[in-house]
């Protein structure tokens, strides 16, 4: 007996094709994310807009795009309010913090990843556990220690706590990156007569460059923007960083909101440019450290 062909599915009961389902899922996820992105970006765009307006136009409100755009607000904020000196101070503190962080914790990450010594695993776990300790809980001990060391109120009194505060995350990322380096490369260098320092500098550091750049970014951005310890430590206006300069603008009796927005733009532009320039290495560094 010949079998009859199966009836075709009705139009109403047919399932949508896989491509249509994927498009529908992307739209369902993409629309809320796009709306959230617009809401998040709006204050930043308003800050950028206000930096190119005069005080009257900012107070009056109105459109996001300036009606009479001007560079006078930026130049006035940069020149008259000593922002160039604040910029140099922030650059000095951030650069010293990044350099010391890379030097110290690259060596520490190499030791945790490659070398064998008693208590290595427990010490590494201790560093990772420090990630969950809020920095504000050690603020008073840091101030007292800096006072006893004679560095309170100086830029070095900012750099040392910043370097210490980056230890947990830096050690975790760099240890993971160094563990991802093939063991055969180390063994080959050892056979050729290379010492530990040579293997560290010529084998592991070049291969861990994305992780090093990631650590540098994760150190530079919060150091550049840091306010609490800087506010508590520094009393000399000549040593102020950009965050304190920006706070001075907002603390005026009659704040000029266009200058305040221009100051905020000056603060964030270097961070944005730095991240955009190193974004590829940042993503690769995070992926490599997680795999390691």
């Amino acid at each position: 007996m010949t079998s009859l062909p199966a009836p075709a599915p009705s139009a109403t009961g047919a399932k949508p094709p896989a491509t249509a389902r994927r498009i529908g899922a992307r739209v369902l996820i993409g629309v809320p994310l796009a709306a959230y992105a617009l809401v998040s970006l709006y204050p930043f765009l308003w800050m950028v807009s206000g930096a190119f307006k005069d005080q009257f136009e900012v107070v009056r409100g109105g459109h996001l795009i300036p009606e009479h755009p001007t560079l006078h607000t930026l130049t006035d904020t940069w020149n008259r309010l000593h922002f160039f000196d604040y910029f140099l101070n922030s650059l000095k503190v951030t650069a010293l913090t990044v350099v010391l962080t890379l030097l110290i914790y690259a060596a520490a990450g190499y030791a945790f990843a490659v070398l064998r010594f008693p208590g290595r695993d427990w010490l590494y776990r201790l560093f990772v556990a420090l990630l969950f300790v809020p920095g504000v809980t050690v603020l008073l001990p840091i101030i007292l220690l800096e006072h006893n060391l004679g560095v309170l109120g100086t830029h070095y009194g900012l750099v040392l706590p910043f370097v210490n505060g980056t230890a947990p995350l830096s050690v975790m990322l760099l240890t993971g990156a160094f563990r991802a380096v093939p063991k055969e490369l180390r063994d080959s260098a050892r056979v050729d007569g290379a010492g530990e320092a040579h293997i560290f500098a010529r084998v592991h550091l070049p291969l861990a460059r994305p992780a090093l750049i990631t650590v540098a970014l994760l150190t530079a951005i919060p150091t550049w923007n840091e306010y609490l310890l800087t506010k508590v430590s520094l009393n000399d206006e000549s040593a102020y960083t950009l965050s304190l300069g920006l706070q001075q603008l907002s603390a005026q009796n009659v704040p000029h909101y266009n200058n305040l927005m221009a100051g905020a733009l000056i603060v964030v532009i270097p961070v944005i440019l730095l991240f955009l320039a190193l974004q590829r290495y940042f993503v690769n560094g995070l992926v490599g450290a997680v795999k390691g």
Side-chain angles (χ1 to χ4, degrees), residues 56-138:
F56 175 76
E57 188 175 353
V58 170
V59 173
R60 182 166 53 88
H63 301 289
L64 185 64
I65 300 176
E67 296 179 5
H68 306 287
T70 176
L71 291 175
H72 175 73
T73 302
L74 281 170
T75 56
D76 178 64
T77 304
W78 179 265
N79 296 324
R80 184 169 60 86
L81 301 175
H82 310 293
F83 258 60
F84 181 70
D85 296 332
Y86 301 154
F87 180 86
L88 291 181
N89 291 336
S90 290
L91 187 63
K92 173 186 174 182
V93 172
T94 303
L96 285 175
T97 302
V98 171
V99 170
L100 289 176
T101 296
L102 293 179
L103 289 176
I104 295 171
Y105 299 121
Y110 178 80
F112 285 125
V114 176
L115 304 182
R116 301 288 181 181
F117 54 89
R120 184 190 69 166
D121 295 338
W122 284 104
L123 187 59
Y124 175 74
R125 294 190 185 101
L126 176 61
F127 270 102
V128 175
L130 291 176
L131 279 170
F132 304 98
V133 178
V136 69
T137 60
V138 295

Side-chain angles (χ1 to χ4, degrees), residues 157-245:
L158 298 177
V159 171
L160 295 178
F162 292 162
V163 172
N164 183 69
T166 62
L169 185 60
S170 299
V171 167
M172 185 178 69
L173 291 177
L174 292 174
T175 300
F178 288 136
R179 282 175 178 170
V181 175
K183 186 175 180 295
E184 292 76 14
L185 295 177
R186 172 180 167 82
D187 295 338
S188 177
R190 179 72 71 185
V191 170
D192 292 338
E196 206 67 58
H198 182 89
I199 296 173
F200 170 61
R202 299 298 181 87
V203 177
H204 284 74
L205 281 183
L207 294 176
R209 184 174 62 174
L212 292 171
I213 294 176
T214 299
V215 170
L217 276 175
L218 293 177
T219 301
I221 293 175
T223 302
W224 183 270
N225 296 325
E226 206 282 333
Y227 172 77
L228 181 58
L229 180 61
T230 307
K231 178 64 176 177
V232 174
S233 299
L234 299 181
N235 295 317
D236 185 4
E237 186 175 342
S238 64
Y240 279 6
T241 58
L242 279 174
S243 57
L244 291 185

